[in-house]
């Protein structure tokens, strides 16, 4: 912070620090990734204009424009926070703080299991590299015994190098102590990310009230609490699936307030260790939070995502860490759902990307030379332990798939970085509906006061209510779709 105050930083870092005043939430510099994202796109002055088809400019202030999706500080329900604190404090585990931090770091750095074909390709590359280094090939061996000896040494060397360069994935077995550590380290952060994802659905589809929910990899039950906070008693059935019986017991204990004699404060919650077998059983809302990385292979992930989508009648919500691994897991799941045929899922309604992408094309973040994760942040209040700060930030990636086709607002570009507010101009990094990443510089003189103020009031993760006039074909299509949707609603009102 001393170096930042002294001005020893780049313009992107300075924008992170200086843009935190004026009543806005302070975002830590290390969450911004400004140096890495600087190369995404150069500033460009495209022709944008405000999409005011809903006439929001006449009804609401700029800070409440319909693209605003970010949330303020997220807090755990008081009953949940008290119960979790009581359970952790009653644990006799030694060095709790160090173990909680170690588990948090391990889960954040966790990668996908390496596939067998990837190992074979890597081994072949290492073997070729070693052969070129020693300058020998199989045809040059004259002595059969020497040839066999050299081959054994070569294979052993390849195996040693492969072990050092390969990530050794192992499944995590959660017993009672491990479950309590997970509760202390991840409950509040997961709850914050889930509230942010559910807020996306609430804001864009306010008339969606799910009746049933399926939680795959339920853990300590953060999905149940977040869904109950968002939709209340409209959800009558919660099916929580987790392979760990200790996790299920702990989640049930949290719902009962830490006492086995009490009833669960959220009715209709059922715990299972396996997914429902019947393909006809569907749920309005299906969620998998921080669970895809726990599956042992890509084929298992594909089959699991297919099974979850088969059981989805409304929305499928997937959340992972805001790392490159987490983002690629979600893009893999996205491709699995979009590229599969309807006959596989036994459903007539196709899949649509609801959020965060404003398109159904390939992810532009992965098409760059330097692949960067599409991630977002959410401020939250952690459990009140000595080792926790008063405010923490959850960095996560999420994906929401929908059975219903997207609305016109879903085509608005998404703000994928912190908005850089300068004097009389604003820098916005956008993911646009044509599948491109754009770095636009908005001024009141060139783009109009309405667009400039909307951009200045936006935050990381919001949608900017604009249309790109340079994409004439897309604009015409969007206008046609909007006209078709406006006419029936007008008749219904009349």
């Amino acid at each position: 912070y001393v170096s930042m105050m002294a001005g020893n930083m780049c313009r992107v870092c300075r924008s992170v620090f200086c843009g935190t005043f004026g009543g806005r939430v302070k975002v830590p510099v290390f969450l911004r990734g400004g140096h890495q994202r600087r190369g995404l796109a150069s500033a460009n002055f495209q022709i944008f204009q405000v999409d005011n088809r809903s006439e929001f400019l006449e009804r609401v202030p700029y800070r409440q424009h319909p693209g605003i999706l970010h949330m303020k500080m997220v807090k755990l329900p008081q009953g949940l926070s008290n119960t979790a604190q009581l359970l952790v404090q009653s644990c006799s585990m030694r060095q709790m703080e160090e173990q909680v931090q170690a588990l948090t770091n391990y889960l954040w750095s966790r990668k996908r299991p390496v596939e067998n074909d990837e190992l074979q390709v890597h081994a072949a590359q290492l073997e070729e590299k070693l052969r070129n280094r020693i300058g020998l090939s199989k045809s040059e061996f004259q002595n059969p015994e020497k040839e066999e000896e050299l081959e054994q040494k070569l294979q052993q060397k390849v195996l040693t190098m492969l072990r050092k360069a390969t990530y050794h994935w192992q499944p995590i077995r959660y017993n009672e102590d491990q479950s309590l550590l997970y509760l202390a380290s991840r409950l509040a952060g997961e709850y914050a990310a889930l509230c942010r994802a559910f807020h996306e659905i609430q804001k864009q589809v306010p008339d969606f009230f799910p009746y049933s929910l399926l939680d795959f990899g339920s853990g300590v039950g953060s999905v149940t609490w977040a869904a109950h906070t968002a939709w209340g008693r409209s959800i009558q059935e919660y099916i929580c699936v987790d392979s760990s019986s200790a996790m299920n017991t702990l989640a049930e204990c949290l719902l009962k307030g830490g006492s086995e004699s009490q009833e669960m404060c959220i009715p209709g919650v059922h715990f299972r260790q396996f997914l429902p077998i019947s393909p006809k059983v569907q749920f309005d809302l299906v969620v998998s939070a921080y669970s895809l990385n726990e599956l042992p292979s890509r084929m298992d992930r594909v089959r699991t995502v297919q099974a979850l989508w088969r059981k989805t009648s409304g929305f499928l919500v997937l959340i992972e860490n805001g790392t490159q691994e987490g983002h690629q897991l979600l893009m893999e799941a996205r491709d699995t759902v979009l590229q599969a045929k309807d006959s596989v899922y036994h459903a007539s309604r196709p899949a649509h990307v609801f959020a965060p992408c404003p398109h159904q094309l390939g992810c532009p973040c992965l098409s760059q030379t330097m692949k960067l994760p599409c991630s977002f942040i959410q401020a939250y209040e952690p459990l009140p332990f000595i080792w926790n700060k008063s405010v923490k930030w959850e960095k996560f990636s999420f994906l929401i798939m929908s059975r219903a086709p997207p609305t016109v607002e879903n085509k608005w570009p998404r703000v994928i970085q912190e908005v850089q507010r300068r004097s009389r101009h604003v820098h916005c990094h956008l993911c646009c509906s044509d599948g491109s990443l754009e770095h636009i510089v908005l001024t009141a003189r060139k783009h109009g006061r309405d667009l400039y103020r909307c951009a200045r009031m936006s935050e990381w993760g919001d949608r900017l209510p604009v249309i790109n006039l340079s994409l004439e074909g897309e604009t015409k299509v969007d206008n046609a779709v909007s006209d078709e949707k406006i006419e029936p609603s007008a008749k219904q009102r009349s």
Side-chain angles (χ1 to χ4, degrees):
Y1 285 100
V2 174
S3 62
M4 288 194 293
M5 293 297 292
N8 299 325
M9 56 187 142
C10 68
R11 292 181 61 190
V12 176
C13 291
R14 182 183 294 277
S15 70
V16 177
F17 185 75
C18 297
T20 57
F21 300 101
R24 296 185 177 89
V25 181
K26 294 185 179 181
V27 181
V29 174
F30 70 90
L31 289 174
R32 290 283 295 107
H35 292 282
Q36 294 180 350
R37 289 181 174 270
R38 186 78 181 256
L40 272 182
S42 58
N44 107 42
F45 293 85
Q46 294 198 32
I47 305 176
F48 286 89
Q49 77 174 28
V50 176
D51 186 359
N52 194 32
R53 281 173 283 195
S54 61
E55 299 181 352
F56 70 90
L57 292 175
E58 291 78 16
R59 294 183 287 106
V60 297
Y62 295 114
R63 65 177 178 274
Q64 297 178 5
H65 70 75
I68 295 292
L69 295 168
H70 66 270
M71 299 176 65
K72 297 181 180 180
M73 180 82 65
V74 174
K75 298 181 180 180
L76 288 172
Q78 192 60 45
L80 174 60
S81 179
N82 294 339
T83 305
Q85 187 178 6
L86 178 64
L87 291 174
V88 174
Q89 289 177 347
S90 62
C91 178
S92 59
M93 193 182 307
R94 297 181 179 180
Q95 299 179 340
M96 175 68 76
E97 179 180 353
E98 290 78 4
Q99 295 193 54
V100 167
Q101 188 62 43
L103 179 61
T104 302
N105 295 338
Y106 175 73
L107 293 175
W108 176 257
S109 61
R110 193 164 166 79
K111 298 181 180 181
R112 293 167 292 175
V114 181
E115 302 296 326
N116 291 332
D117 54 348
E118 297 177 359
L119 281 176
Q120 293 175 359
V121 171
H122 194 190
Q125 293 175 349
L126 290 176
E127 182 176 355
E128 182 181 0
K129 183 178 179 180
L130 288 176
R131 287 186 182 280
N132 293 334
R133 181 183 301 176
I134 62 179
L136 294 175
S137 62
K138 291 184 178 180
S139 60
E140 297 176 355
F141 292 126
Q142 301 296 332
N143 190 343
E145 296 181 358
K146 186 177 180 181
E147 176 183 353
E148 183 178 357
E149 181 182 355
L150 288 175
E151 279 293 332
Q152 290 179 356
K153 290 183 178 180
L154 182 64
Q155 296 300 327
Q156 188 64 35
K157 183 66 174 178
V158 170
L159 183 60
T160 302
M161 295 177 63
L162 194 63
R163 286 175 177 173
K164 291 181 179 180
T166 302
Y167 177 78
H168 299 282
W169 182 91
Q170 291 182 351
I172 303 178
R173 307 296 182 187
Y174 287 100
N175 52 24
E176 294 183 1
D177 291 339
Q178 289 289 330
S179 299
L180 279 174
L181 285 176
Y182 191 90
L183 170 69
S185 62
R186 297 297 302 137
L187 175 62
E190 286 187 1
Y191 179 84
L194 287 161
C195 286
R196 173 63 181 83
F198 293 158
H199 179 71
E200 192 97 12
I201 301 176
Q202 281 185 298
K203 187 71 180 292
Q204 300 187 55
V205 190
D207 57 346
F208 174 72
F209 294 97
Y211 177 85
S212 56
L213 180 146
L214 173 63
D215 180 12
F216 175 76
S218 55
V220 294
S222 52
V223 172
T224 299
W225 288 93
H228 182 74
T229 301
W231 290 285
R233 294 190 175 275
S234 70
I235 305 180
Q236 300 294 318
E237 181 184 17
Y238 299 83
I239 302 298
C240 301
V241 180
D242 198 290
S243 59
S244 172
S245 58
M247 279 286 196
N248 291 335
T249 302
L250 181 58
E252 185 176 0
C253 184
L254 288 172
L255 290 170
K256 292 183 177 180
S259 175
E260 296 182 359
S261 59
Q262 295 183 7
E263 294 184 358
M264 290 188 289
C265 58
I266 301 177
V269 181
H270 307 280
F271 294 95
R272 302 285 186 272
Q273 287 186 291
F274 303 98
L275 282 171
I277 299 177
S278 176
K280 297 181 180 179
V281 177
Q282 287 192 325
F283 300 84
D284 298 329
L285 184 64
V286 178
V287 185
S288 174
Y290 305 94
S291 299
L292 294 180
N293 206 14
E294 301 304 322
L295 299 175
S297 66
R298 182 182 182 277
M299 185 58 63
D300 290 320
R301 294 194 299 270
V302 169
R303 291 173 180 173
T304 300
V305 171
Q306 290 177 349
L308 294 178
W309 181 244
R310 276 198 301 267
K311 298 184 179 303
T312 302
S313 63
F315 291 96
L316 172 63
V317 180
L318 304 175
I319 299 179
E320 292 294 335
N321 288 328
T323 60
Q324 184 174 346
E325 288 291 322
H327 177 226
Q328 291 182 2
L329 280 172
L330 295 181
M331 293 302 99
E332 178 185 273
R334 180 180 183 266
D335 295 339
T336 299
V337 176
L338 290 178
Q339 295 175 4
K341 298 180 180 179
D342 293 340
S343 58
V344 176
Y345 296 115
H346 308 283
S348 57
R349 294 183 296 169
H352 302 277
V353 179
F354 182 82
C357 315
H359 56 82
Q360 299 198 163
L361 305 173
C363 180
C365 293
L366 298 180
S367 62
Q368 299 290 321
T369 304
M370 180 174 60
K371 297 181 180 180
L372 299 174
C374 177
S375 58
F376 306 91
I377 59 173
Q378 178 58 53
Y380 68 94
E381 184 178 294
L383 291 172
F385 296 127
I386 300 177
W387 60 81
N388 281 335
K389 301 177 182 178
S390 59
V391 179
K392 281 192 172 184
W393 298 82
E394 179 70 8
K395 190 173 184 181
F396 64 99
S397 298
F398 75 103
L399 172 68
I400 304 179
M401 305 296 295
S402 172
R403 288 286 186 183
T407 60
V408 177
E409 288 76 10
N410 281 63
K411 296 297 182 180
W412 291 345
R414 174 84 62 171
V415 181
I416 59 172
Q417 295 184 43
E418 187 74 11
V419 176
Q420 302 170 21
R421 301 171 182 87
R422 300 284 196 267
S423 176
R424 298 183 181 180
H425 66 282
V426 179
H427 291 258
C428 290
H429 294 262
L430 306 175
C431 179
C432 301
S433 59
D434 61 342
S436 64
L437 296 177
E438 300 293 346
H439 174 193
I440 63 172
V441 181
L442 300 172
T443 64
R445 176 181 295 181
K446 292 187 177 181
H447 301 88
R449 183 174 182 271
D450 293 333
L451 177 54
Y452 173 72
R453 297 303 299 175
C454 285
R456 201 168 185 87
M457 293 298 173
S458 299
E459 297 286 352
W460 186 0
D462 293 341
R463 292 185 186 272
L464 197 60
V466 299
I467 52 177
N468 190 349
L469 297 183
S470 60
L471 303 176
E472 296 180 358
E474 181 180 356
T475 304
K476 292 179 181 179
V477 171
D478 287 346
N479 290 336
V481 173
S482 64
D483 291 338
E484 293 176 2
K485 294 186 177 181
I486 291 174
E487 290 179 4
S489 61
K491 293 180 181 178
Q492 292 175 0
R493 292 171 182 165
S494 62

